[in-house]
Amino acid sequence: MGCDEQFLEHLISEDTLQLLFEVSNSSNLEESLEILIQNAKSDSGRLDLASKRVLPAVLNIVHSLTHASHNHHHHNSVLSLCFKLLRNLCAGEPANQGSFLELNGVVLVCSVLKSEVGSSGPNHGLLRWGLQVLANVSLAGKQHQHAIWEELYSVGFVSLARLGSKEICDPLCMVIYTCCDGNPHWSRKLSSDDDGWLIIADIVRTASPAGFDEDWLKLLLSRICLEESQLPVLFPKLRFVHVPEGEVTESTNDQFSSDQACLLRIISEILNEQLRNVTVSNDVTLFVFGIFKKSIGVLEHATRGKSGLPSGSAEVDILGYSLTILRDICAQDSVRGNMVDAKDVVDLLLPYGLIELLLSLLWDLEPPAIIRKGIKQYENQDGTSCSSKPCPYKGFRRDVVALIGNCVYRRKLAQDEIRKRNGILLLLQQCVTDEDNPFLREWGIWCVRNMLEGNEENQKVVAELELQGSADVPEIAALGLRVEVDQRTRRAKLVNIP
């Protein structure tokens, strides 16, 4: 046995060591903890270790190490093993979760976290495992959640979020989400007082460069930004970088920050994955539309995007993600198969000039690559067009077309507006393959189908365009339609191909 082990075992009571050595069939502390960590991975193992009172013994070790007269460098590795074992013991085992609470485990683990965060070089692994212990304990119910919240809200949560590590933020989000899930008033507190906003903003600032591996951040932001409609409050708080008090920072002229782009990216992913389950309020919808309108200015100086989203430019990403969020909000009725909730969302946006804005964006864009190649004189020597704007990211045109397609789905008013603004031929021209816009053709066909469905006036315009040869593209046949002249009235109409 080395001097490190001797020193540690001198700190820990003989009874505690004896119990662990017997249960693990080992005579070395670290080896014993490693064996028990493995044993505690199964339900039956956890139950067996609960009956042998292993959890109180492990809490004794943590207590001994944290109250030692001086911090020995070997402490952290044993503390880490203790936390991993406590995490496994408390994974869904009520007996262990109960003992943990009764024996003041929450206060003990939180005190280790607080002193570690305050140290000159915090051990991120130790902090992660400590938070995982609390996360598993928080699943046991309101009493456990209350004990954790009392210890860590708000200074503890803020200091952990500010470490800027996704290894720490993932379990931190789980702890916060689980506590709020059982106590809705904390959820409201989190999104109503300044301390709460500091926590959420710092978590998003961590996710912005570092990303995240687990879904807890999405669950947390879905609740706060969408269910509680607080996106309009959080978004502006991410405008400026957090600066410690007393420091001065140069203000930036950019309209948007990368942290704001990160928030919209996560909200866009949530909507895309949870299209059937998440309902977005009118306030949030109008707020996102406002961001979209503001972000369009980036097209004045944008170059042709070399990738899809994220593009590497905060301003372009804000444009793209606000567009995809609107696309998915407006898709909800067709996905859910009802015309009650989401119909109101599109009807809400139409008077604000949504269709007019989207058509003008399409008019201003350079033609798809397949058409550009056919018009040699179209481009200048540097590959830019004379007056048209390039797609700022791969997929921008497709996303605009998709949003229009979702707006005109079984909505006579929106369909008619396309016709009145001379947008029918423009939309027919989007039914082509385009290397800068994956799936443009499929979205174009979906859009044209929705624009024509149940709308005789629009069908008549398309039929006349085809008779004139103006719509000499295969999109109409792709819709399963063809133009026919009615023998009685001599008027062209669209009919289904048998």
Side-chain angles (χ1 to χ4, degrees), residues 81-307:
L81 290 171
C82 287
F83 279 1
K84 286 181 188 174
L85 178 50
L86 288 170
R87 172 197 66 192
N88 290 5
L89 287 169
C90 291
E93 176 45 62
N96 286 326
Q97 291 167 330
S99 302
F100 188 86
L101 190 66
E102 284 158 29
L103 298 168
N104 248 3
V106 171
V107 175
L108 187 56
V109 169
C110 287
S111 72
V112 176
L113 296 181
K114 287 171 190 171
S115 83
E116 193 62 35
V117 167
S119 69
S120 55
N123 179 328
H124 286 196
L126 185 64
L127 291 167
R128 174 177 171 80
W129 296 313
L131 280 167
Q132 286 176 339
V133 175
L134 298 178
N136 283 347
V137 169
S138 72
L139 293 169
K142 279 188 166 38
Q143 263 186 302
H144 301 69
Q145 291 155 5
H146 199 266
I148 295 166
W149 196 263
E150 290 286 292
E151 282 298 311
L152 290 179
Y153 189 86
S154 65
V155 178
F157 287 145
V158 169
S159 58
L160 285 159
R162 287 218 172 133
L163 288 172
S165 150
K166 74 172 169 183
E167 291 77 25
I168 293 168
C169 263
D170 281 335
L172 177 62
C173 288
M174 179 178 172
V175 170
I176 295 171
Y177 177 81
T178 307
C179 287
C180 290
D181 202 35
N183 305 272
H185 57 284
W186 288 341
S187 185
R188 287 190 289 277
K189 185 178 174 64
L190 196 62
S191 57
S192 63
D193 71 23
D194 288 343
D195 291 339
W197 283 123
L198 270 181
I199 298 166
I200 300 302
D202 279 316
I203 287 174
V204 175
R205 287 195 185 101
T206 293
S208 184
F212 53 93
D213 291 328
E214 297 163 20
D215 277 344
W216 296 104
L217 174 58
K218 282 186 181 174
L219 289 167
L220 194 56
L221 290 177
S222 180
R223 161 156 295 168
I224 290 168
C225 295
L226 298 177
E227 285 174 44
E228 294 175 11
S229 300
Q230 295 294 314
L231 180 65
V233 184
L234 178 57
F235 188 81
K237 291 186 187 298
L238 295 167
R239 172 75 180 81
F240 299 106
V241 178
H242 170 76
V243 182
E245 278 179 57
E247 282 187 29
V248 180
T249 180
E250 288 180 35
S251 76
T252 165
N253 291 326
D254 290 342
Q255 238 183 331
F256 299 108
S257 72
S258 56
D259 297 332
Q260 288 176 319
C262 171
L263 176 63
L264 288 195
R265 187 187 86 221
I266 296 169
I267 298 295
S268 176
E269 284 176 16
I270 291 167
L271 272 175
N272 204 255
E273 292 162 8
Q274 298 288 323
L275 211 51
R276 294 172 188 279
N277 309 321
V278 178
T279 303
V280 183
S281 71
N282 288 353
D283 286 350
V284 170
T285 301
L286 287 173
F287 179 73
V288 174
F289 183 54
I291 295 173
F292 177 60
K293 285 201 296 189
K294 212 180 204 179
S295 67
I296 284 169
V298 74
L299 293 171
E300 292 307 319
H301 51 86
T303 52
R304 190 174 301 153
K306 292 184 166 56
S307 74

Side-chain angles (χ1 to χ4, degrees), residues 472-490:
D472 188 20
V473 269
E475 55 271 346
I476 297 173
L479 293 169
L481 300 168
R482 68 159 185 252
V483 178
E484 230 175 53
V485 178
D486 187 302
Q487 294 304 314
R488 192 169 53 79
T489 62
R490 307 304 302 160

Side-chain angles (χ1 to χ4, degrees), residues 53-91:
R53 307 279 297 151
V54 166
L55 185 132
V58 180
L59 286 177
N60 279 340
I61 296 176
V62 175
H63 187 271
S64 305
L65 295 182
T66 51
H67 290 79
S69 54
H70 71 283
N71 189 15
H72 204 262
H73 69 85
H74 202 57
H75 283 194
N76 269 357
S77 72
V78 174
L79 262 181
S80 295
L81 290 171
C82 287
F83 279 1
K84 286 181 188 174
L85 178 50
L86 288 170
R87 172 197 66 192
N88 290 5
L89 287 169
C90 291

Side-chain angles (χ1 to χ4, degrees), residues 347-366:
D347 290 348
L348 173 80
L349 291 171
L350 288 180
Y352 287 91
L354 176 63
I355 296 283
E356 182 182 5
L357 178 62
L358 295 172
L359 289 176
S360 74
L361 286 177
L362 272 187
W363 282 117
D364 288 349
L365 282 181
E366 60 186 15

